[in-house]
Amino acid sequence: MVPEPSRISVGPVTSTESSAEHRLSMLAATGTGLTGGEALQYALDQAVAELTGLAGMVHWCGPSGGRPLHLAVVSGLPRAALQGWEEIGADAPSGAPTHAVRDGTFAWMPVVDAAGSLPDDTHDTAASRSVTLSLPTATMVAAVPIPGPDAPLGALSVLTASGEPTAGQRAFLPAVARWAAQRVPQSTTAGVSRRWWREQPVGSYPLIAQEPVAHALRYLRDGFLVVDGDWRTSYINVEAERLLGPAEDVLGRVLWDGPAGRVPGLEARCRQAAADGAPVGCDVQWPTDERWYHIRLVPVPNGLTLYVTDVTETKIRVAQRAAAERATAQRTAPIGKLTSALTYAVTARDVVEVVAEYVLPPFDAAGLVVEVFESGRRHVVGSVGYSPDFLRGITETPQAHSSPFNDVLRTRLPIFMGSPAEYIALYPGMAERAAASGKQAWAFLPLIASGDPIGCCAISFHEPRHFTGEERALLTALSGLVGQALARARLYDTEHARAQELQRGLLPRALPSTPAVVAAARYLPARSGIGIGGDWYDVIPLSADRVALVIGDVMGHGLTEAATMGRLRTAVHTLADLDLPPDEILAHLNDLVSDLGDDLYATCLYAIYDPTTGLCFLASAGHPPPAIALPDGTVFFADLPPDPPLGAAEPPFSTVQLHLPEDSLLVLYTDGLVESATRDIDSGMAAVARCLTVGPGAFRTGSSVGPSGDRRASRPDPCDAREHLDRLCDALTTTLLPAQELTTDDAALLIARVQRLAPQNIASWPLPDEPVAAGLARRHVREQLTAWHLDDLLMTTELLASELVGNVVRHAKGPIQLRLLLSRTLICEVFDGSQATPRIRRAAETDEGGRGLQLVAAFSQHWGARYTTDGKCIWTEQPLPAQP
């Protein structure tokens, strides 16, 4: 027989003595985390390896001494092969283990004599004979005591056929026994020793089989069994015998050969627990009695212990309790779910959708009609499972006619009809209506709010139905919740409709179409609450094809804020007509807001875009910066000074100048679009930038006049550009304000695509500050209009330019500049260096002058003046002649 290799590997040695020293040093270095059973196993393995033994044994008697020696640990051979050594009586003559414990010293004795017979002091049993006959005739036993505090705790023995141990080997055995003894808990009381061995793994199980403990385990209420490393049963108590069979039929057999092998998954769980080295528990149904047991698998060295507890009654109680809880939950779930869902239902349509989702499925219903009675007639709020034609018939039923709806309103009691026959019996005149509905059972429930019936909720079914008392009570309770929610929702609908109507009246109904910009806008009211907001936007045409883009937000919600917004919007239009720069307009608005009250504040962004230069001038009063999307896909936000909002600011306001390439997008918005309870403003602005990155230049525009001089060539259809901007508005609002998200602030969005006036449509000349300037102006006008093929406008334009320039020479100062712009109209501008505003005055019949501006007003469609940084500009507009 070949002994097992040592569990502690050692390096090559040159002699027995050096090998023993090496093993002792290795054991001495072993950590203190070993259990007592592991320490005995390691010590025995090293002893067998050092003596080149066939097998090894550790017998245990405990600290009390004088007790039988029990086989605790084996090495080199299966435990079944050493059954003759399982127990050595205290009074019976024995071999080396008994002598080592009794004498407390090294013992060297044979297993058999030269004739091959058993020693006189060995029990003659079939098991011992089989052991003896399986060993060589020259097998000897070397044993040393395992020292204890007062007496040896047991013996460590090695079976060897290699001859008598050398002096070094004889010294190694006591040393390794002492090393193991130091790691085994020691006590002078047997109770502590038994407690420790109860905690030891299966390899030390025979040590716990001392009489009191063994008796307790044997008759333990729960099943207990032990299997070794080969999955053979080595111990089984009485309760486990009831499950597995008699002990004589089970011990020594593989656990899976009995009823345990028919338990689904048990073998796999046992093997997994042994492989993981961690306890695990599972519930299984035993095949012999079909009861449920909880099995706890505890891995131990060389085996596994199984604790089996009957949990059938517990499972039955748990199942009964769970079934009762499920039944209760199923009965109350519709009320709980409906109550929770109705708290989020804002509109009447929301209430109908909630009822359809949370009431119809639990009752397996197929149809729903929610009706209310107002202004003397029935009104269907919402329905499920009915055609429009059928619903129209409902509203046409006279109020005095006998019907379930009228009776429910009159009596305030529900009506349940389980079949068409019951329906016709109660309402003979409505047989056709019952047949047209396509349903077989109905529950008409009154909707009552604040003690008054407001309508009826009709729930219908595809099959005839017997309504139990519980179903009737539950449906009646649900109808009460629906009635309260519907009354609240209809009040919200009414107020919200009024607020929306007022809001629409305060905002521009349509954005103007201008040559400089194509614009699209969106206004999204808050989805929670009914208060109207103070957000607004506007696009205002200015002189010389310039455009003002405005967006603002009055802080707060309500009629006061809406009225303030209306005042500000009107003021902006008035100030824009004066052609004031953005910073001056904000200064006037700040005075207006300050005069309205100390608790009113508003943010505002005012921008003026000039298509002749591509410059955009912006001023902001506490408003979020606009986003600019360039045609190449670049997106950035304007760097605006942090001026306070209107009502809290101290003018002057700062003005920022931007150069916008043609087809750039200028995106103005209020904070309600980018900021919410779940998103800060920086994250919202980043989301705006991501949306604008995709294709902002999809509609590039060319020049407005082609090479041939056709002033209407190459401009794309503005409808296409506006459609693109509308899609972009929808994308931004959908991304930043999803439909399912409740918002507490309204939001405004204005997107403008800027256009440049083609260079060939701009003509400009400096003029001297002398009387000859009028003649030069007429000549320049004549030459330019001829080039533009506008001969029909020659006379009037010459007159206008001559009068404007002459007025500057007589009443203002230079430098003088004349500019003509060809756009949708013909624009004539005269710039000078004076800040004095020209005014039309009534000239007397004898006055020689004073009629110049009257002629300008008479021959132009529009005219006006605006201030510049170094003077003023007087301008006129004339309509272009119709094209053939």
Side-chain angles (χ1 to χ4, degrees), residues 706-723:
S708 64
D710 183 1
R711 62 182 177 272
R712 301 188 181 182
S714 73
R715 277 293 184 191
D717 188 352
C719 295
D720 294 338
R722 185 170 289 107
E723 182 181 352

PDB file of all heavy atoms in Angstrom, residues 706-723:
ATOM      1  N   GLY A 706     -29.909  87.399 -58.599  1.00  0.00           N
ATOM      2  CA  GLY A 706     -29.027  86.585 -59.412  1.00  0.00           C
ATOM      3  C   GLY A 706     -28.119  87.425 -60.279  1.00  0.00           C
ATOM      4  O   GLY A 706     -28.190  88.662 -60.304  1.00  0.00           O
ATOM      5  N   PRO A 707     -27.236  86.775 -61.013  1.00  0.00           N
ATOM      6  CA  PRO A 707     -26.298  87.496 -61.870  1.00  0.00           C
ATOM      7  C   PRO A 707     -26.978  88.372 -62.885  1.00  0.00           C
ATOM      8  O   PRO A 707     -26.445  89.394 -63.312  1.00  0.00           O
ATOM      9  CB  PRO A 707     -25.506  86.367 -62.539  1.00  0.00           C
ATOM     10  CG  PRO A 707     -25.695  85.192 -61.641  1.00  0.00           C
ATOM     11  CD  PRO A 707     -27.049  85.341 -61.045  1.00  0.00           C
ATOM     12  N   SER A 708     -28.142  87.983 -63.333  1.00  0.00           N
ATOM     13  CA  SER A 708     -28.838  88.772 -64.356  1.00  0.00           C
ATOM     14  C   SER A 708     -29.510  89.996 -63.795  1.00  0.00           C
ATOM     15  O   SER A 708     -30.078  90.795 -64.527  1.00  0.00           O
ATOM     16  CB  SER A 708     -29.879  87.891 -65.055  1.00  0.00           C
ATOM     17  OG  SER A 708     -30.870  87.493 -64.139  1.00  0.00           O
ATOM     18  N   GLY A 709     -29.464  90.141 -62.481  1.00  0.00           N
ATOM     19  CA  GLY A 709     -30.113  91.306 -61.875  1.00  0.00           C
ATOM     20  C   GLY A 709     -31.510  91.033 -61.403  1.00  0.00           C
ATOM     21  O   GLY A 709     -32.179  91.942 -60.921  1.00  0.00           O
ATOM     22  N   ASP A 710     -32.023  89.798 -61.542  1.00  0.00           N
ATOM     23  CA  ASP A 710     -33.371  89.467 -61.064  1.00  0.00           C
ATOM     24  C   ASP A 710     -33.345  89.475 -59.547  1.00  0.00           C
ATOM     25  O   ASP A 710     -32.712  88.648 -58.911  1.00  0.00           O
ATOM     26  CB  ASP A 710     -33.793  88.093 -61.591  1.00  0.00           C
ATOM     27  CG  ASP A 710     -35.220  87.761 -61.170  1.00  0.00           C
ATOM     28  OD1 ASP A 710     -35.851  88.613 -60.503  1.00  0.00           O
ATOM     29  OD2 ASP A 710     -35.678  86.649 -61.498  1.00  0.00           O
ATOM     30  N   ARG A 711     -34.055  90.453 -58.990  1.00  0.00           N
ATOM     31  CA  ARG A 711     -33.973  90.624 -57.536  1.00  0.00           C
ATOM     32  C   ARG A 711     -34.657  89.491 -56.770  1.00  0.00           C
ATOM     33  O   ARG A 711     -34.562  89.423 -55.573  1.00  0.00           O
ATOM     34  CB  ARG A 711     -34.574  91.962 -57.134  1.00  0.00           C
ATOM     35  CG  ARG A 711     -36.057  92.101 -57.483  1.00  0.00           C
ATOM     36  CD  ARG A 711     -36.582  93.470 -57.093  1.00  0.00           C
ATOM     37  NE  ARG A 711     -37.964  93.656 -57.480  1.00  0.00           N
ATOM     38  CZ  ARG A 711     -38.343  94.107 -58.659  1.00  0.00           C
ATOM     39  NH1 ARG A 711     -37.425  94.386 -59.576  1.00  0.00           N
ATOM     40  NH2 ARG A 711     -39.617  94.273 -58.945  1.00  0.00           N
ATOM     41  N   ARG A 712     -35.400  88.608 -57.444  1.00  0.00           N
ATOM     42  CA  ARG A 712     -36.139  87.552 -56.737  1.00  0.00           C
ATOM     43  C   ARG A 712     -35.543  86.185 -57.005  1.00  0.00           C
ATOM     44  O   ARG A 712     -36.163  85.176 -56.725  1.00  0.00           O
ATOM     45  CB  ARG A 712     -37.598  87.562 -57.154  1.00  0.00           C
ATOM     46  CG  ARG A 712     -38.265  88.900 -56.860  1.00  0.00           C
ATOM     47  CD  ARG A 712     -39.760  88.863 -57.085  1.00  0.00           C
ATOM     48  NE  ARG A 712     -40.336  90.160 -56.803  1.00  0.00           N
ATOM     49  CZ  ARG A 712     -41.643  90.419 -56.869  1.00  0.00           C
ATOM     50  NH1 ARG A 712     -42.472  89.479 -57.229  1.00  0.00           N
ATOM     51  NH2 ARG A 712     -42.105  91.624 -56.592  1.00  0.00           N
ATOM     52  N   ALA A 713     -34.345  86.114 -57.543  1.00  0.00           N
ATOM     53  CA  ALA A 713     -33.749  84.822 -57.871  1.00  0.00           C
ATOM     54  C   ALA A 713     -33.117  84.212 -56.638  1.00  0.00           C
ATOM     55  O   ALA A 713     -32.640  84.902 -55.758  1.00  0.00           O
ATOM     56  CB  ALA A 713     -32.706  85.002 -58.971  1.00  0.00           C
ATOM     57  N   SER A 714     -33.088  82.920 -56.594  1.00  0.00           N
ATOM     58  CA  SER A 714     -32.318  82.066 -55.704  1.00  0.00           C
ATOM     59  C   SER A 714     -32.743  82.080 -54.250  1.00  0.00           C
ATOM     60  O   SER A 714     -32.132  81.420 -53.432  1.00  0.00           O
ATOM     61  CB  SER A 714     -30.819  82.396 -55.788  1.00  0.00           C
ATOM     62  OG  SER A 714     -30.542  83.629 -55.153  1.00  0.00           O
ATOM     63  N   ARG A 715     -33.760  82.832 -53.848  1.00  0.00           N
ATOM     64  CA  ARG A 715     -34.242  82.724 -52.480  1.00  0.00           C
ATOM     65  C   ARG A 715     -35.109  81.480 -52.338  1.00  0.00           C
ATOM     66  O   ARG A 715     -36.028  81.282 -53.133  1.00  0.00           O
ATOM     67  CB  ARG A 715     -35.073  83.950 -52.107  1.00  0.00           C
ATOM     68  CG  ARG A 715     -34.259  85.149 -51.649  1.00  0.00           C
ATOM     69  CD  ARG A 715     -33.568  84.893 -50.348  1.00  0.00           C
ATOM     70  NE  ARG A 715     -32.872  86.081 -49.879  1.00  0.00           N
ATOM     71  CZ  ARG A 715     -32.015  86.099 -48.894  1.00  0.00           C
ATOM     72  NH1 ARG A 715     -31.704  84.963 -48.289  1.00  0.00           N
ATOM     73  NH2 ARG A 715     -31.432  87.197 -48.505  1.00  0.00           N
ATOM     74  N   PRO A 716     -34.860  80.591 -51.323  1.00  0.00           N
ATOM     75  CA  PRO A 716     -35.713  79.412 -51.148  1.00  0.00           C
ATOM     76  C   PRO A 716     -37.071  79.795 -50.601  1.00  0.00           C
ATOM     77  O   PRO A 716     -37.280  80.905 -50.129  1.00  0.00           O
ATOM     78  CB  PRO A 716     -34.928  78.569 -50.141  1.00  0.00           C
ATOM     79  CG  PRO A 716     -34.183  79.584 -49.324  1.00  0.00           C
ATOM     80  CD  PRO A 716     -33.836  80.692 -50.272  1.00  0.00           C
ATOM     81  N   ASP A 717     -37.952  78.879 -50.669  1.00  0.00           N
ATOM     82  CA  ASP A 717     -39.299  79.098 -50.158  1.00  0.00           C
ATOM     83  C   ASP A 717     -39.233  79.270 -48.640  1.00  0.00           C
ATOM     84  O   ASP A 717     -38.777  78.377 -47.928  1.00  0.00           O
ATOM     85  CB  ASP A 717     -40.188  77.911 -50.514  1.00  0.00           C
ATOM     86  CG  ASP A 717     -41.646  78.180 -50.169  1.00  0.00           C
ATOM     87  OD1 ASP A 717     -41.914  79.210 -49.524  1.00  0.00           O
ATOM     88  OD2 ASP A 717     -42.488  77.359 -50.551  1.00  0.00           O
ATOM     89  N   PRO A 718     -39.682  80.410 -48.090  1.00  0.00           N
ATOM     90  CA  PRO A 718     -39.648  80.583 -46.625  1.00  0.00           C
ATOM     91  C   PRO A 718     -40.469  79.544 -45.891  1.00  0.00           C
ATOM     92  O   PRO A 718     -40.189  79.243 -44.734  1.00  0.00           O
ATOM     93  CB  PRO A 718     -40.220  82.002 -46.438  1.00  0.00           C
ATOM     94  CG  PRO A 718     -40.029  82.679 -47.758  1.00  0.00           C
ATOM     95  CD  PRO A 718     -40.158  81.602 -48.790  1.00  0.00           C
ATOM     96  N   CYS A 719     -41.479  78.985 -46.556  1.00  0.00           N
ATOM     97  CA  CYS A 719     -42.285  77.945 -45.890  1.00  0.00           C
ATOM     98  C   CYS A 719     -41.438  76.722 -45.568  1.00  0.00           C
ATOM     99  O   CYS A 719     -41.627  76.071 -44.537  1.00  0.00           O
ATOM    100  CB  CYS A 719     -43.476  77.564 -46.764  1.00  0.00           C
ATOM    101  SG  CYS A 719     -44.659  78.901 -47.001  1.00  0.00           S
ATOM    102  N   ASP A 720     -40.512  76.380 -46.462  1.00  0.00           N
ATOM    103  CA  ASP A 720     -39.633  75.241 -46.190  1.00  0.00           C
ATOM    104  C   ASP A 720     -38.739  75.519 -44.975  1.00  0.00           C
ATOM    105  O   ASP A 720     -38.540  74.656 -44.118  1.00  0.00           O
ATOM    106  CB  ASP A 720     -38.767  74.941 -47.413  1.00  0.00           C
ATOM    107  CG  ASP A 720     -39.599  74.465 -48.596  1.00  0.00           C
ATOM    108  OD1 ASP A 720     -40.730  73.982 -48.350  1.00  0.00           O
ATOM    109  OD2 ASP A 720     -39.130  74.569 -49.737  1.00  0.00           O
ATOM    110  N   ALA A 721     -38.189  76.722 -44.929  1.00  0.00           N
ATOM    111  CA  ALA A 721     -37.338  77.071 -43.787  1.00  0.00           C
ATOM    112  C   ALA A 721     -38.146  77.075 -42.500  1.00  0.00           C
ATOM    113  O   ALA A 721     -37.691  76.585 -41.458  1.00  0.00           O
ATOM    114  CB  ALA A 721     -36.694  78.432 -44.015  1.00  0.00           C
ATOM    115  N   ARG A 722     -39.370  77.615 -42.540  1.00  0.00           N
ATOM    116  CA  ARG A 722     -40.190  77.644 -41.323  1.00  0.00           C
ATOM    117  C   ARG A 722     -40.589  76.227 -40.896  1.00  0.00           C
ATOM    118  O   ARG A 722     -40.652  75.921 -39.707  1.00  0.00           O
ATOM    119  CB  ARG A 722     -41.435  78.504 -41.557  1.00  0.00           C
ATOM    120  CG  ARG A 722     -42.276  78.686 -40.301  1.00  0.00           C
ATOM    121  CD  ARG A 722     -43.351  79.718 -40.478  1.00  0.00           C
ATOM    122  NE  ARG A 722     -42.796  81.065 -40.547  1.00  0.00           N
ATOM    123  CZ  ARG A 722     -42.718  81.795 -41.653  1.00  0.00           C
ATOM    124  NH1 ARG A 722     -43.160  81.302 -42.803  1.00  0.00           N
ATOM    125  NH2 ARG A 722     -42.213  83.010 -41.647  1.00  0.00           N
ATOM    126  N   GLU A 723     -40.838  75.356 -41.866  1.00  0.00           N
ATOM    127  CA  GLU A 723     -41.166  73.965 -41.531  1.00  0.00           C
ATOM    128  C   GLU A 723     -39.986  73.290 -40.831  1.00  0.00           C
ATOM    129  O   GLU A 723     -40.163  72.539 -39.876  1.00  0.00           O
ATOM    130  CB  GLU A 723     -41.540  73.211 -42.796  1.00  0.00           C
ATOM    131  CG  GLU A 723     -41.941  71.767 -42.552  1.00  0.00           C
ATOM    132  CD  GLU A 723     -42.292  71.036 -43.836  1.00  0.00           C
ATOM    133  OE1 GLU A 723     -42.362  71.716 -44.885  1.00  0.00           O
ATOM    134  OE2 GLU A 723     -42.474  69.813 -43.783  1.00  0.00           O
TER     135      GLU A 723
END
